[in-house]
Amino acid sequence: MKVADKHGRIIQAAIKVFARNGFFNSRISEIAKEANVADGTIYLYFNNKYDILITIFEEEMGKIIASVKQKLASTEDPCEKLEIFAFQHLSLVEKDRDLAEIIQVELRQSSKFMKEYRNRKFAEYLQIISNIVREGQEKELFRKEVMPGIFKRAFFGALDEMSRFWVLSSKKKYCVKTAARQISHFFLDGILNSPCHAPKKIGKRRHKKKKADGR
Amino acid sequence: MKVADKHGRIIQAAIKVFARNGFFNSRISEIAKEANVADGTIYLYFNNKYDILITIFEEEMGKIIASVKQKLASTEDPCEKLEIFAFQHLSLVEKDRDLAEIIQVELRQSSKFMKEYRNRKFAEYLQIISNIVREGQEKELFRKEVMPGIFKRAFFGALDEMSRFWVLSSKKKYCVKTAARQISHFFLDGILNSPCHAPKKIGKRRHKKKKADGR
Amino acid sequence: MKVADKHGRIIQAAIKVFARNGFFNSRISEIAKEANVADGTIYLYFNNKYDILITIFEEEMGKIIASVKQKLASTEDPCEKLEIFAFQHLSLVEKDRDLAEIIQVELRQSSKFMKEYRNRKFAEYLQIISNIVREGQEKELFRKEVMPGIFKRAFFGALDEMSRFWVLSSKKKYCVKTAARQISHFFLDGILNSPCHAPKKIGKRRHKKKKADGR
Amino acid sequence: MKVADKHGRIIQAAIKVFARNGFFNSRISEIAKEANVADGTIYLYFNNKYDILITIFEEEMGKIIASVKQKLASTEDPCEKLEIFAFQHLSLVEKDRDLAEIIQVELRQSSKFMKEYRNRKFAEYLQIISNIVREGQEKELFRKEVMPGIFKRAFFGALDEMSRFWVLSSKKKYCVKTAARQISHFFLDGILNSPCHAPKKIGKRRHKKKKADGR
DNA sequence: GATGAATGAGTCTTCATTCAT
DNA sequence: GATGAATGAAGACTCATTCAT
């Protein structure tokens, strides 16, 4: 029960408190109170305040990555995979807003160490996306010009901004499913009505030409 | 000779210092030193440390919005507009990394006030994107199913994450032009090689069908 | 061995320091040093510097009032009571100069809150005097024209000024007993050599008449 | 006109501001504003903030002493003189509450310098009272046992406390004339109903005897 | 292991005072 | 003389961390 796992209780309390106040405006004493633990006890489990933040990231991101990877295993289709990724990402945000807020907001604090640390751990998550892209390109489903290194960021960024919307606004205009579908379709099909899809160099102003030919 | 404009000097110094250390790890005295000004002088121009952050956002976002809007006026084509927006956004990030870092990272601090404040000012910027989308839809260039409220976030998020890459990594693998073009093309054309573009309800798994029809 | 009662130690230290420098010229760090306590420890027991002052007043005035009331219980004679009050008041000042100085001087700081606060607590002390007067009037020992509301202030003021003399001058020309006796006699018998004591309206210039009748 | 006498304007402004906030809570800039003068200008007329306080005391006490002495010259009767003194003192307080508040409250700040300084200047005022007493004793109007050094403080203290009542309470239950008369009568006649006024050693419990002889 | 009272380093902010104009 | 922008010293208060129990 709640009594035993102090480590876990502290982490959960910290997630709640950090999400509520932000890392810098959170007090160790507040976390201790929330966890029903003495202030000093926290230092039996963590080196310092910052270490709690790192640990949250480490443990929770690990879970997330594992979970997403597992879900993706259900299909071979890169298109589907992208949509599944989008759906999973947004679902997680919806399910655990506090955690999402911390990963979204608090972990962007620009402590040099954090920046690098986060990047390393984070790269793993982004990698999932670029792997899907490469897979799609190998299967000749996705265009070769698409640069996976750019795509992974763009795709993640789109989801991330969408979830920030939820995290910060607390009212949810769109349902997760709709959002996940819309976003993955943006990236799969684009938003153009009926583009001419002859393979072309990305970077040539194709749609300008369209305009020229009468549209 | 000391430059007269203390307000401006303090803002510039603060941008530099906040970018270097983060808001909470920055000291007023450091900003003062950087601005060649006495500590107390800062309080002649700003109410408190936080006020400096707000002011940076207010003034600089104002400039950015104005600048972007002006650039967009050069064309009528919504497709081009998106690419221009992307290019402008990324260029600004490249030109003033410190400022970009602050807007990217520091302004996400979760002070409840900031969250709301930032959102308000920020909405203006996002609005530019959704207006382009609506314009494109009116001209029947963009699909009707695209929800501008989702698109604006997805598009901005893609650019934002891309620029975080620059801000945080400090090495730049891709040039701005390439990135801007790639990203706007993701959203215009999608990444699929030769999709079937009969208008369809977004939400129906179109690419699933493709799979079904033999691909 | 360090004494356990930190609250008490801080109060005593503060009395000493406030008396030495005045409230506004006293530093928390000085009080902490005097109390053999860390600066921060003070804030475990008091909300702020001002709160220490308030607490001193509250606690010590409580003791004083209780002590005086107890001493007064030893007699029924209002005349004696006045002298006892005078003696007690001056004795207390003599015994604890630092405390007396604070009550005398520092608590007159004109913070609007303090003014009112002090008055409330203080009224209790003055009340003791006016009650003695009313008692004396009921026993027909004291003249009916005497207004207890004025008398209490006059009597207290006389003692108060006398003690300021001690507090500020640090040399004591008169012994407490003498001063207490003189002052209570001023108020009981007046200073006139052989006045005509037919009951009269206070406010009629009695001593003028005397002059008229040949003196 | 208001324009010319900056010294006077600053003094008047300071009296108002010090009375409102207390010395330590008053800002030079507030005084400057009240006096319609630049902050720096104050330092053309005064050495520092403290110097303003001293000057207020010096100049205003001078005026008060002169004024009181003049009024006292109108009679030879020590009894009358005491009542005149009381009336004058209380009238002054009523006329200029701000000034009274400062002299009452602010000048009691326990800066060592102020304490001594105030005492010196103040002694002059108290001297007036003890001189009246000595005069009365020489004329055999007042008892010889009365110690002028104690009396002057007691009498002044009574008036002083009475005026604090006005200064702090802002409502005035008793009129100045009544208060002045009551207080001077306390000291002239005492408050006993019909004391036996055979000259006696002050210090012998006379009123005890009364009780003994049947009252 | 657990506690929470105690610590004291660290910083924002104020404001009397100065001085170039 | 007058100004008021600029200065920078100083201090109340906070809070992460420690350690005796």
Side-chain angles (χ1 to χ4, degrees):
Chain A
M1 282 317 50
K2 278 251 161 183
V3 185
D5 178 23
K6 296 239 163 105
H7 176 98
R9 265 160 63 201
I10 293 168
I11 285 289
Q12 290 312 310
I15 289 175
K16 201 184 274 186
V17 173
F18 287 162
R20 185 162 59 224
N21 311 321
F23 177 74
F24 284 102
N25 288 318
S26 294
R27 308 290 143 234
I28 286 289
S29 58
E30 197 180 349
I31 296 172
K33 204 177 185 181
E34 183 80 39
N36 263 312
V37 145
D39 290 23
T41 305
I42 290 183
Y43 289 84
L44 298 175
Y45 294 88
F46 301 91
N47 296 322
N48 51 45
K49 188 183 168 187
Y50 199 53
D51 187 35
I52 304 177
L53 188 63
I54 300 282
T55 306
I56 288 173
F57 185 63
E58 221 159 26
E59 297 186 353
E60 302 300 325
M61 272 309 282
K63 289 186 206 164
I64 291 170
I65 290 171
S67 151
V68 168
K69 281 185 173 167
Q70 190 213 319
K71 299 282 180 186
L72 291 177
S74 69
T75 181
E76 288 300 307
D77 179 6
C79 298
E80 266 188 277
K81 280 191 175 178
L82 278 184
E83 192 168 334
I84 290 173
F85 186 96
F87 182 72
Q88 283 303 312
H89 183 90
L90 295 177
S91 295
L92 274 169
V93 169
E94 200 192 27
K95 213 169 44 186
D96 195 347
R97 282 190 193 208
D98 285 347
L99 178 59
E101 170 135 7
I102 290 170
I103 293 177
Q104 283 266 357
V105 179
E106 299 312 319
L107 283 168
R108 300 199 174 169
Q109 306 301 347
S110 60
S111 134
K112 282 287 165 277
F113 171 66
M114 194 59 221
K115 271 198 268 190
E116 275 149 42
Y117 179 77
R118 177 181 184 268
N119 279 355
R120 230 175 336 120
K121 195 80 193 173
F122 211 64
E124 213 181 321
Y125 192 59
L126 292 187
Q127 197 85 35
I128 298 175
I129 304 173
S130 52
N131 284 343
I132 297 173
V133 173
R134 278 193 205 89
E135 202 185 316
Q137 288 175 322
E138 276 160 27
K139 294 187 175 176
E140 296 195 326
L141 262 170
F142 299 162
R143 302 192 200 134
K144 282 202 269 307
E145 314 92 66
V146 171
M147 301 166 83
I150 292 183
F151 183 87
K152 72 179 176 191
R153 286 171 209 287
F155 190 68
F156 170 76
L159 293 170
D160 189 48
E161 185 63 32
M162 200 63 217
S163 44
R164 178 169 316 118
F165 177 57
W166 280 315
V167 164
L168 298 183
S169 75
S170 81
K171 51 190 173 193
K172 197 182 26 170
K173 261 198 232 157
Y174 316 104
C175 86
V176 172
K177 196 144 225 151
T178 307
R181 207 159 276 174
Q182 281 251 336
I183 290 171
S184 44
H185 280 268
F186 293 159
F187 281 90
L188 290 169
D189 307 321
I191 61 175
L192 285 178
N193 226 338
S194 45
C196 138
H197 275 291
K200 63 210 137 314
K201 283 257 184 289
I202 282 189
K204 272 189 78 179
R205 298 284 189 85
R206 180 200 38 70
H207 40 280
K208 239 181 186 163
K209 281 195 239 144
K210 273 183 299 162
K211 206 177 169 187
D213 65 36
R215 298 211 62 202
Chain B
M1 191 203 70
K2 293 201 176 181
V3 185
D5 178 26
K6 295 246 163 82
H7 176 98
R9 264 160 63 200
I10 294 167
I11 285 287
Q12 289 314 310
I15 289 175
K16 201 183 274 187
V17 173
F18 286 163
R20 184 162 58 225
N21 311 322
F23 176 74
F24 285 101
N25 288 318
S26 295
R27 306 293 141 231
I28 285 289
S29 58
E30 199 180 349
I31 297 173
K33 207 177 187 179
E34 184 79 39
N36 261 312
V37 146
D39 289 23
T41 304
I42 290 182
Y43 290 85
L44 295 177
Y45 294 89
F46 302 91
N47 296 321
N48 50 46
K49 190 181 163 186
Y50 197 53
D51 188 35
I52 305 177
L53 188 63
I54 300 280
T55 305
I56 289 174
F57 184 62
E58 221 160 26
E59 295 186 355
E60 303 300 325
M61 273 308 281
K63 288 185 206 163
I64 290 171
I65 290 172
S67 151
V68 168
K69 281 185 173 168
Q70 191 213 320
K71 299 281 182 188
L72 291 176
S74 68
T75 181
E76 287 300 307
D77 181 5
C79 298
E80 268 186 276
K81 281 190 175 177
L82 278 184
E83 193 169 334
I84 290 173
F85 186 97
F87 182 71
Q88 284 302 313
H89 183 91
L90 296 177
S91 295
L92 275 168
V93 170
E94 200 190 26
K95 213 168 42 185
D96 194 346
R97 281 191 193 207
D98 285 345
L99 178 59
E101 169 134 7
I102 290 170
I103 293 178
Q104 284 266 0
V105 179
E106 299 312 320
L107 282 168
R108 299 198 176 170
Q109 304 301 347
S110 59
S111 134
K112 284 286 167 278
F113 170 66
M114 192 58 220
K115 270 199 265 189
E116 275 150 43
Y117 179 76
R118 178 180 182 269
N119 280 356
R120 229 176 337 119
K121 195 82 191 175
F122 212 64
E124 214 181 320
Y125 193 59
L126 292 186
Q127 196 87 34
I128 298 175
I129 304 173
S130 52
N131 285 342
I132 296 173
V133 172
R134 279 193 205 90
E135 202 185 316
Q137 290 175 321
E138 276 162 27
K139 295 187 174 176
E140 297 195 325
L141 264 170
F142 297 163
R143 300 192 202 135
K144 283 204 265 310
E145 314 92 65
V146 171
M147 300 167 83
I150 292 183
F151 184 87
K152 71 180 177 190
R153 286 172 209 285
F155 191 68
F156 170 76
L159 293 170
D160 190 48
E161 185 63 32
M162 199 63 217
S163 43
R164 179 170 316 118
F165 176 57
W166 280 316
V167 164
L168 298 183
S169 74
S170 78
K171 52 193 171 188
K172 195 181 32 173
K173 261 197 236 160
Y174 316 104
C175 85
V176 172
K177 196 144 225 151
T178 307
R181 206 159 278 173
Q182 282 252 335
I183 290 172
S184 45
H185 279 268
F186 293 159
F187 281 90
L188 289 170
D189 306 320
I191 60 175
L192 286 179
N193 228 336
S194 45
C196 136
H197 275 291
K200 63 209 137 318
K201 282 257 182 291
I202 283 190
K204 274 188 77 176
R205 297 284 187 84
R206 180 199 39 70
H207 41 278
K208 241 180 185 162
K209 281 195 236 145
K210 273 183 299 164
K211 206 177 168 187
D213 66 38
R215 297 213 66 198
Chain C
M1 189 203 70
K2 292 199 177 182
V3 185
D5 176 27
K6 295 246 164 81
H7 176 98
R9 263 160 65 200
I10 293 167
I11 285 288
Q12 290 312 312
I15 289 175
K16 203 184 273 188
V17 173
F18 286 163
R20 184 161 59 224
N21 311 321
F23 177 74
F24 285 101
N25 288 319
S26 294
R27 306 293 141 232
I28 285 289
S29 57
E30 199 180 348
I31 296 173
K33 206 177 189 181
E34 183 80 39
N36 260 310
V37 145
D39 290 24
T41 305
I42 289 181
Y43 291 86
L44 297 177
Y45 294 89
F46 301 92
N47 296 322
N48 50 46
K49 190 182 162 187
Y50 197 53
D51 189 34
I52 305 177
L53 188 61
I54 299 280
T55 306
I56 290 174
F57 184 62
E58 222 161 25
E59 295 187 355
E60 302 301 324
M61 271 309 281
K63 288 187 207 163
I64 290 171
I65 290 172
S67 150
V68 168
K69 281 185 174 168
Q70 191 212 322
K71 298 283 181 186
L72 290 178
S74 69
T75 181
E76 287 300 307
D77 180 8
C79 298
E80 267 186 275
K81 280 189 176 179
L82 279 184
E83 192 170 334
I84 290 173
F85 186 98
F87 182 72
Q88 284 303 313
H89 182 91
L90 295 178
S91 295
L92 276 168
V93 170
E94 200 191 26
K95 212 168 42 188
D96 195 345
R97 281 190 194 208
D98 285 345
L99 177 59
E101 170 134 7
I102 290 170
I103 293 179
Q104 283 266 359
V105 178
E106 297 312 319
L107 283 168
R108 299 199 176 170
Q109 305 302 346
S110 58
S111 133
K112 283 286 168 279
F113 170 66
M114 193 58 221
K115 270 200 265 190
E116 274 150 44
Y117 178 76
R118 177 181 183 269
N119 279 355
R120 228 175 339 117
K121 195 82 191 174
F122 212 63
E124 213 181 321
Y125 193 59
L126 291 186
Q127 196 88 33
I128 298 176
I129 304 173
S130 52
N131 284 343
I132 296 174
V133 172
R134 277 192 208 90
E135 202 186 315
Q137 288 175 322
E138 276 162 28
K139 294 187 176 177
E140 298 197 322
L141 263 170
F142 298 163
R143 298 189 203 140
K144 282 203 264 314
E145 313 93 64
V146 171
M147 300 168 83
I150 292 182
F151 184 86
K152 73 180 175 191
R153 286 171 209 288
F155 191 68
F156 170 77
L159 293 170
D160 190 47
E161 186 62 33
M162 199 62 219
S163 43
R164 180 170 314 119
F165 176 58
W166 280 314
V167 164
L168 298 183
S169 74
S170 79
K171 50 191 174 191
K172 195 182 32 171
K173 259 198 234 157
Y174 316 104
C175 84
V176 171
K177 196 145 225 149
T178 306
R181 206 159 278 173
Q182 282 251 333
I183 290 172
S184 46
H185 279 269
F186 292 159
F187 281 90
L188 289 170
D189 306 320
I191 59 174
L192 285 179
N193 224 337
S194 44
C196 138
H197 275 291
K200 62 211 132 320
K201 284 252 183 292
I202 283 188
K204 270 190 82 177
R205 299 284 188 84
R206 181 199 37 71
H207 40 282
K208 242 181 182 165
K209 280 196 237 145
K210 274 185 300 165
K211 205 177 169 188
D213 67 38
R215 296 210 68 198
Chain D
M1 291 249 15
K2 278 248 159 181
V3 185
D5 179 24
K6 295 238 164 103
H7 175 98
R9 264 159 65 199
I10 294 167
I11 286 289
Q12 289 312 311
I15 289 175
K16 202 185 271 187
V17 172
F18 287 163
R20 185 161 59 222
N21 311 321
F23 177 74
F24 284 101
N25 288 319
S26 294
R27 308 291 146 235
I28 286 288
S29 58
E30 198 180 349
I31 296 173
K33 204 177 186 181
E34 183 80 40
N36 264 312
V37 146
D39 290 24
T41 305
I42 289 182
Y43 289 84
L44 297 175
Y45 294 89
F46 301 91
N47 295 322
N48 51 44
K49 188 183 167 188
Y50 198 54
D51 188 35
I52 305 177
L53 188 63
I54 299 283
T55 305
I56 289 174
F57 185 62
E58 220 160 25
E59 295 187 354
E60 302 299 324
M61 273 308 281
K63 287 186 207 163
I64 290 171
I65 290 172
S67 151
V68 169
K69 280 186 174 169
Q70 190 212 322
K71 298 282 181 186
L72 291 178
S74 70
T75 180
E76 287 300 307
D77 181 6
C79 297
E80 267 187 276
K81 280 190 176 179
L82 279 184
E83 192 168 335
I84 290 172
F85 186 96
F87 181 72
Q88 283 303 311
H89 183 90
L90 295 178
S91 295
L92 275 169
V93 170
E94 200 190 28
K95 213 168 42 188
D96 194 345
R97 281 191 193 209
D98 285 346
L99 179 60
E101 172 136 5
I102 291 171
I103 293 178
Q104 283 266 358
V105 178
E106 298 312 320
L107 283 168
R108 299 199 175 171
Q109 305 302 349
S110 60
S111 133
K112 282 286 167 278
F113 171 66
M114 193 59 221
K115 272 199 265 189
E116 276 150 40
Y117 179 77
R118 177 179 183 270
N119 279 355
R120 226 171 344 115
K121 194 79 192 175
F122 211 62
E124 211 181 322
Y125 192 58
L126 292 186
Q127 197 87 35
I128 298 175
I129 304 174
S130 51
N131 284 342
I132 296 174
V133 173
R134 278 192 207 91
E135 202 185 316
Q137 288 175 322
E138 276 162 26
K139 294 189 175 177
E140 298 196 323
L141 263 170
F142 298 163
R143 299 189 204 140
K144 280 201 268 308
E145 314 92 66
V146 171
M147 299 167 82
I150 293 183
F151 184 87
K152 72 181 175 190
R153 285 171 210 287
F155 191 68
F156 171 76
L159 293 171
D160 189 47
E161 185 63 32
M162 200 62 218
S163 41
R164 179 170 316 118
F165 177 56
W166 280 316
V167 164
L168 299 183
S169 74
S170 79
K171 52 190 175 193
K172 197 182 30 171
K173 260 198 232 157
Y174 314 105
C175 85
V176 171
K177 196 144 223 151
T178 306
R181 206 160 277 176
Q182 281 249 336
I183 290 172
S184 45
H185 280 266
F186 292 159
F187 280 91
L188 289 170
D189 306 319
I191 60 176
L192 285 179
N193 223 339
S194 43
C196 136
H197 273 292
K200 61 210 140 307
K201 283 253 183 289
I202 283 186
K204 272 189 80 176
R205 297 287 186 81
R206 181 198 36 70
H207 39 280
K208 239 179 184 166
K209 279 195 239 147
K210 272 184 300 163
K211 210 176 164 188
D213 65 37
R215 294 213 65 190

